[in-house]
């Protein structure tokens, strides 16, 4: 497996796919993509992998390539059934998909993407930010009294952890929702999450430094 | 099964879940939700079903309720395997999930939701609209020379058809992408799609008339 992720990530570590691959104990090669130049660290044009230039992309040993977080995460989980990263029954699978869809549409694209996009006008950012409290209230109500989104750790937790980290570099404030911040703290103690975070942190710091150099 | 959909849909028919249920030949009861008052046609408070007030919601005979289009559509497909509304192999399932995620994040929430939201500021709508061409170009390139998104009709086609209909009530122009408009025309000839469209059309017209009355 080969997984591509952003070098100009405009967000702190760790990526959801990396967490899932570590959970699965998968043999995987990671390749960074510079989202400005759309070049991989190996010098390839990433648009040939995903014409939209969006990460992550997952390339299987078969050569098949998958994009979009929900698909990449579920494909990793299916390839490693022993890790039990998704439920095997129809209701459980649908509940997982409900969370992946909520995180992708309501949090990732509905709130954070405009806030992270340097090209987005201030009003688009304000509009996105105004949508955050109702979404976080809903999420907190579902996390309250639970350890994970489902009965046990799943790829939805990997995705949620990664997306919640966007709050560190946007005006989204998670502090009013203690069920969310304690969930983040719990997840961070998980070896796969801690490892992904630790390995991506130097890349992140490097990028932040480069961003500052460009801005000055 | 009980499926809820919007009465103030702010978009033309037909809903993706309705198309999928007709394809499956499922016994289902449909209930409209007024997205302003958050009341179902039966007078219930829809926030008790989904605190975020978002449609669709699917209630199974078991009493379990699922929200979010990707989950609702895949759960319907799993409940009716004979209709073959999703691929049964891991790669096919992931490709379906890739499309559901793309439609949900890049088209539905990334482009159409701000354009349909009366509360969204003009700059947020302009920003959303600016994202449309690259997404439609990508979609058109994938639909070119194909009948469906996957090898055969799937719930991803039901979702895509429903979302593309938003173009009729927003400034999104699909005409430059002939692969998309011919796909729409093909889908519209499908009995499940034609039936869903025909049945939701009077509801849609009624709502448009009510919107006009309020505006005048």
């Amino acid at each position: 497996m080969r997984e591509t992720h952003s070098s100009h990530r405009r967000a702190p570590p760790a990526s959801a796919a990396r967490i899932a691959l570590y959970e699965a104990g998968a043999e995987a090669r990671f390749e960074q993509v510079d989202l400005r130049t759309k070049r991989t660290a190996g010098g390839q044009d990433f648009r040939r992998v995903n014409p939209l230039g969006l990460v992550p992309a997952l390339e299987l040993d078969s050569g098949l390539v998958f994009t979009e977080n929900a698909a990449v995460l579920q494909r990793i989980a299916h390839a490693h059934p022993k890790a039990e990263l998704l439920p095997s029954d129809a209701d459980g699978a649908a509940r997982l998909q409900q969370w992946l869809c909520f995180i992708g549409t309501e949090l990732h694209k509905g709130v954070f993407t405009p806030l992270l996009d340097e090209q987005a006008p201030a009003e688009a950012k304000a509009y996105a930010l105004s949508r955050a409290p109702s979404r976080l209230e809903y999420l907190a109500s579902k996390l309250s009294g639970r350890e994970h989104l489902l009965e046990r750790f799943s790829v939805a937790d990997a995705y949620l952890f990664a997306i919640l980290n966007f709050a560190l570099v946007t005006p989204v404030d998670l502090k009013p929702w203690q069920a969310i911040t304690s969930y983040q703290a719990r997840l961070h103690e998980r070896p796969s999450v801690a490892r992904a975070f630790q390995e991506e942190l130097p890349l992140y710091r490097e990028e932040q430094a480069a961003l500052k150099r460009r801005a000055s």
Side-chain angles (χ1 to χ4, degrees), chain A:
Chain A
M1 286 184 174
R2 186 168 71 106
E3 189 260 332
T4 57
H5 55 103
S6 159
S7 80
H8 286 294
R9 72 191 67 205
R10 297 159 302 175
S15 74
R18 188 186 284 261
I19 294 171
L21 288 163
Y22 286 168
E23 281 285 337
E27 277 189 38
R29 187 161 64 83
F30 299 93
E31 194 159 357
Q32 279 188 270
V33 180
D34 185 323
L35 289 184
R36 288 172 198 270
T37 64
K38 307 293 183 190
R39 290 268 155 193
T40 69
Q44 287 181 301
D45 183 0
F46 183 61
R47 288 191 184 276
R48 294 176 66 176
V49 176
N50 184 352
L52 288 174
L54 300 173
V55 292
L58 177 75
E59 185 177 337
L60 302 182
D61 295 337
S62 66
L64 282 181
V65 174
F66 295 96
T67 57
E68 304 290 336
N69 264 301
V72 164
L73 292 170
Q74 288 180 91
R75 190 65 190 83
I76 291 169
H78 273 294
H80 302 277
K82 281 185 190 164
E84 297 183 51
L85 297 173
L86 47 69
S88 54
D89 64 302
D91 285 332
R95 192 65 74 210
L96 176 87
Q97 287 153 359
Q98 179 178 316
W99 278 117
L100 291 173
C101 188
F102 171 82
I103 299 162
T105 57
E106 299 302 325
L107 294 181
H108 192 174
K109 295 295 161 165
V111 172
F112 288 111
T113 293
L115 293 173
L116 292 161
D117 183 358
E118 292 166 10
Q119 315 287 323
E123 294 83 353
K125 289 179 189 287
Y127 171 68
L129 189 59
S130 76
R131 299 169 68 91
S134 60
R135 274 64 187 166
L136 295 172
E137 180 64 33
Y138 171 80
L139 178 63
S141 76
K142 297 290 186 179
L143 283 175
S144 180
R146 299 185 66 91
E147 194 171 350
H148 303 110
L149 288 169
L150 305 181
E151 292 305 308
R152 48 170 293 156
F153 181 87
S154 71
V155 287
D157 295 303
Y159 193 19
L160 181 55
F161 180 84
I163 296 306
L164 289 175
N165 275 345
F166 284 132
L168 297 171
V169 287
T170 60
V172 174
D173 184 10
L174 302 178
K175 281 193 294 293
W177 292 279
Q178 201 256 324
I180 296 178
T181 54
S182 62
Y183 167 85
Q184 284 186 297
R186 273 197 310 282
L187 265 274
H188 210 137
E189 286 175 12
R190 216 175 158 86
S192 66
V193 174
R195 181 181 163 201
F197 197 91
Q198 197 173 18
E199 290 184 2
E200 293 190 33
L201 193 60
L203 304 172
Y204 170 68
R205 288 197 174 130
E206 209 171 279
E207 289 148 23
Q208 293 298 305
L211 280 171
K212 268 192 196 155
R213 279 197 300 276
R214 261 199 305 278
S216 63

